[in-house]
Structure formats: C-alpha cells, structure tokens
C-alpha cells in the first residue's frame, strides 16, 4: 500500500488576521489526511491549531493584521508536530492557570478557554522563546 | 470566505437561532451581533439549533458564556439543540453540560420553555 509511511513536511505562512483561520484549518486537514491520520484525530488537531493561532492574533499581535504567523508541520501516521512561530508580543503561558470549569462559567471568564482546549486535545503543548523577537508554540499529538 | 451564517426565527416568546458552517474567532462577532439585537428586543428565551454547524472553536463557545447570564436574569435561558457529536464533544470538554441544557430536538427545547411559562 502506498502512503503507509508517508512523511509529511510542510510550511504555511499567513498574516495575523482571523480571516485566515480557515486557511490554517484547510492546511492542517490536507497535511494530516496525506499523512494517513484518522478523521477523529484530525478534528482535534485542527481545533488545537486554530486555538493557538487565535491566541497569537489576539494576544501577541493584538488584532493587528500586519504580523506574520508561520506554521511548520511534520507528520506521519503515528505522530504530528506543528510548530507555530510569531514575532509578536512575548506571551507567558504560566500566567494562564487551568480553569476550574464551574468557576469559569460563573465568572463569565472567556479568556483561557483556548489554551485549556489545546492542552486537552494535544499530547504536548510547549512554549519556546526562540530569539528576542520570536515566540514559538509546539503542538504534538501521537495518533496510534 | 468563511462559510458561516446565523439567522433567527420563531414566534414569541421563544426565538430560534440557526447557526450554520464554521463558528470561529472570525465569525463569532456575527453571533454576538444577533444576541445583542435579541437583548435590545427583550427576547431572552433562546434555542440555538446546531443542526448545520460543522465546526466550533472557543471563540464561539465564549459567545454563549458571555450572554447566558443576561438571559437567565431576565427569566430566559440559552438552550442548545440538534448538535452533532463532534461539536458536542467540544462543549463537553469545557464542562457546558453541567450548566446548560442540551436537547436532541429543537421542539423539546422550545417546549421546555413553554412548560416553565405555564
């Protein structure tokens, strides 16, 4: 069978606007399908990457559409790794606690949901500062 | 173009919101606009029909969290119906079933409001 051990290496660069989120989702879907990942996991990966990019647009670039977000993806049937790099404001993930869900709803605290979802949906979520002006979030999921 | 649309329908007092397509950070403001309009019109009993919603991210979920208390403070609520499994799973991950009512069918959700009103 062809495609059994397909190794995928792809990159996508977008401007930091929510209008481009659908492009990010299509990029992830196509690459994950080509890698042979199943539909259910693809759904989870797409949502996690959407949340990561949304956070960058909102917090790192504060909705300025001039920023750049670079996604670099490596995948095979067993594992997918997406590195998402931006040049926006540095973000400290440690100041975002895991929400207590009931309290969260009571306080109508909408922020922080995205990161909570990312951690629930992926196996690894790592934040790196790769240079003085570059931030990176690395999302990993083992799918078999 | 992002594939999303939102429409309202229904007779007084229960209003149905139909959401279709992809509800993300880009399209969530459209849904907020609909809730703002309903509040202006003093319509607080809302059923959101998800039968044609394919995708939701936290930005979409946040809209319901932002408006539900206003509805409840005014004798109303936001109830959900006709949700597919993959969309429901996201609501479930974020604990929504503890605090919101989910119905298989839109009618059941509407009836629930009507029962309460009697």
């Amino acid at each position: 069978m062809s495609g059994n051990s397909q190794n995928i290496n792809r990159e996508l660069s977008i401007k930091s606007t929510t209008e481009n989120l659908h492009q990010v989702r299509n990029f992830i879907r196509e690459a994950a399908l080509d890698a042979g990942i199943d539909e259910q996991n693809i759904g989870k990966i797409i949502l996690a990457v959407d949340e990561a990019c949304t956070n960058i647009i909102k917090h790192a670039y504060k909705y300025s559409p001039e920023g750049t977000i670079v996604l670099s993806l490596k995948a095979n049937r067993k594992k997918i790794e997406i590195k998402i790099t931006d040049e926006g404001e540095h973000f400290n993930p440690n100041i975002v606690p895991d929400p207590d869900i009931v309290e969260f709803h009571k306080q109508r605290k909408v922020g922080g949901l995205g990161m909570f979802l990312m951690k629930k949906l992926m196996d690894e979520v790592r934040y790196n500062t790769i240079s003085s002006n570059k931030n990176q979030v690395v999302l990993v999921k083992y799918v078999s | 173009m992002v594939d999303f649309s939102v429409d309202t329908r229904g007779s007084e007092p229960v209003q149905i919101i139909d959401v279709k397509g992809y509800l993300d950070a880009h399209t969530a403001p459209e849904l907020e606009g609909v809730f703002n309009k309903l509040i202006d019109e003093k319509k607080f009993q809302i059923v959101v029909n998800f039968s044609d919603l394919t995708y939701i991210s936290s930005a979409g979920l946040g809209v319901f969290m932002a408006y539900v208390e206003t509805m409840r403070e005014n004798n109303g609520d936001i109830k959900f119906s006709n949700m597919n499994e993959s969309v429901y799973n996201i609501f479930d991950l974020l604990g929504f079933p503890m605090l919101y009512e989910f119905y298989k069918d839109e009618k059941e959700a509407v009836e629930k409001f009507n029962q309460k009103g009697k």
Side-chain angles (χ1 to χ4, degrees):
Chain A
M1 267 206 13
S2 70
N4 245 359
S5 56
Q6 182 94 286
N7 281 307
I8 304 289
N9 264 299
R10 283 181 203 171
E11 204 170 279
L12 173 73
S13 177
I14 58 154
K15 285 290 172 199
S16 53
T17 146
T18 54
E19 215 175 322
N20 291 329
L21 288 171
H22 79 286
Q23 196 185 335
V24 168
R25 294 194 295 264
N26 289 344
F27 166 75
I28 299 294
R29 169 171 296 281
E30 276 171 30
L33 274 175
D34 290 347
I37 295 171
D38 63 284
E39 199 58 48
Q40 210 187 348
N41 276 307
I42 290 177
K44 293 178 182 173
I45 297 158
I46 285 176
L47 180 54
V49 175
D50 175 324
E51 298 292 349
C53 291
T54 299
N55 276 348
I56 290 168
I57 293 166
K58 230 160 116 177
H59 302 296
Y61 289 121
K62 312 225 179 297
Y63 292 108
S64 154
E66 299 304 317
T68 301
I69 302 173
V70 178
L71 294 97
S72 92
L73 175 151
K74 279 187 193 169
N76 55 45
R77 270 179 60 214
K78 293 183 174 172
K79 180 186 174 188
I80 184 162
E81 179 184 88
I82 306 115
K83 290 181 176 164
I84 309 167
T85 310
D86 70 77
E87 294 175 17
E89 207 165 285
H90 177 66
F91 166 70
N92 181 359
N94 299 321
I95 60 167
V96 182
D98 272 355
D100 170 321
I101 284 297
V102 176
E103 277 307 307
F104 214 57
H105 285 272
K106 273 191 200 156
Q107 295 167 13
R108 297 191 225 182
K109 241 180 72 184
V110 176
L113 283 182
M115 193 184 292
F116 179 77
L117 273 180
M118 281 155 65
K119 288 180 189 165
K120 284 267 182 185
L121 297 165
M122 302 301 280
D123 292 310
E124 292 171 28
V125 179
R126 292 195 304 271
Y127 287 86
N128 305 321
T129 303
I130 50 176
S131 67
S132 59
N133 65 338
K134 278 190 182 172
N135 314 301
Q136 188 176 69
V137 54
V138 184
L139 303 174
V140 179
K141 190 163 185 72
Y142 301 94
V143 286
S144 57
Chain B
M1 265 302 289
V2 180
D3 178 20
F4 177 73
S5 74
V6 52
D7 292 296
T8 51
R9 64 187 157 87
S11 52
E12 304 277 336
V14 182
Q15 292 290 304
I16 317 288
I17 301 180
D18 289 302
V19 283
K20 291 181 183 171
Y22 292 76
L23 181 51
D24 65 2
H26 189 62
T27 57
E30 268 186 69
L31 180 59
E32 283 173 1
V34 166
F35 274 109
N36 287 332
K37 190 166 171 280
L38 290 169
I39 289 170
D40 283 348
E41 294 167 356
K42 304 208 178 309
K43 291 169 179 164
F44 303 112
Q45 301 190 343
I46 313 297
V47 174
V48 186
N49 186 319
F50 283 82
S51 62
D52 293 319
L53 195 86
T54 349
Y55 176 84
I56 192 162
S57 73
S58 70
L61 292 149
V63 177
F64 304 114
M65 288 171 69
Y67 288 94
V68 71
E69 282 310 316
T70 308
M71 302 310 183
R72 288 178 182 169
E73 282 160 11
N74 288 282
N75 245 341
D77 194 14
I78 302 174
K79 302 185 195 297
F80 302 131
S81 82
N82 302 73
M83 210 177 266
N84 75 38
E85 202 189 332
S86 68
V87 169
Y88 177 78
N89 286 341
I90 308 307
F91 278 87
D92 193 26
L93 267 183
L94 290 175
F96 275 69
M98 285 190 286
L99 298 138
Y100 293 77
E101 294 171 18
F102 292 75
Y103 296 90
K104 277 208 174 91
D105 188 65
E106 176 191 304
K107 258 190 192 165
E108 283 175 66
V110 174
E111 272 165 22
K112 192 78 185 179
F113 273 121
N114 293 337
Q115 279 168 18
K116 204 188 149 201
K118 273 178 193 166

